[in-house]
Every structure is written in C-alpha cells, then in structure tokens.
Amino acid sequence: MSVGEKTKAKAEQVAGKIVRKAAHAAHNETLAAKGAALEARGRSRGMKESAKDTFRH
C-alpha cells in the first residue's frame, strides 16, 4: 500500500467520523450523511489498497 494512499484513506475516515459526530450533535442529518459517506469512502480506499498489497506479495 502506498504511503500516500494509506494517508488519504485514514484522513478521510477520521474527517468523516468527526463531521458525522458533530452533525449528529447539531441535529443536522444532511451533514451527518455526508460525513458518513466520506468515512465510507476512506474505508473503501483503504480496503482497495490492502487488497492490492495482498495480490502483489
């Protein structure tokens, strides 16, 4: 897994989680959904890169 992609994946997960939790606290469900989508995108990016590593070795 490239360091850049790994960093992007983790940053998206963390940012999405922060946005989602803050939006829930503010009772803003639209923003919470956007945060959840960002978190999911980061998670899928991480899984994709992990799968690439598995097939390379």
Side-chain angles (χ1 to χ4, degrees):
M1 181 178 217
S2 72
V3 175
E5 289 296 314
K6 184 176 182 179
T7 304
K8 275 186 193 176
K10 194 63 175 174
E12 282 181 338
Q13 282 179 327
V14 171
K17 190 175 223 177
I18 290 169
V19 168
R20 182 174 50 85
K21 288 187 181 231
H24 277 302
H27 304 291
N28 186 337
E29 295 305 315
T30 303
L31 190 56
K34 289 180 182 180
L38 182 62
E39 186 177 0
R41 189 173 350 145
R43 213 177 266 133
S44 67
R45 182 190 303 265
M47 288 189 319
K48 179 185 86 171
E49 290 299 316
S50 293
K52 281 183 181 178
D53 284 347
T54 300
F55 288 117
R56 284 184 192 154
H57 297 290

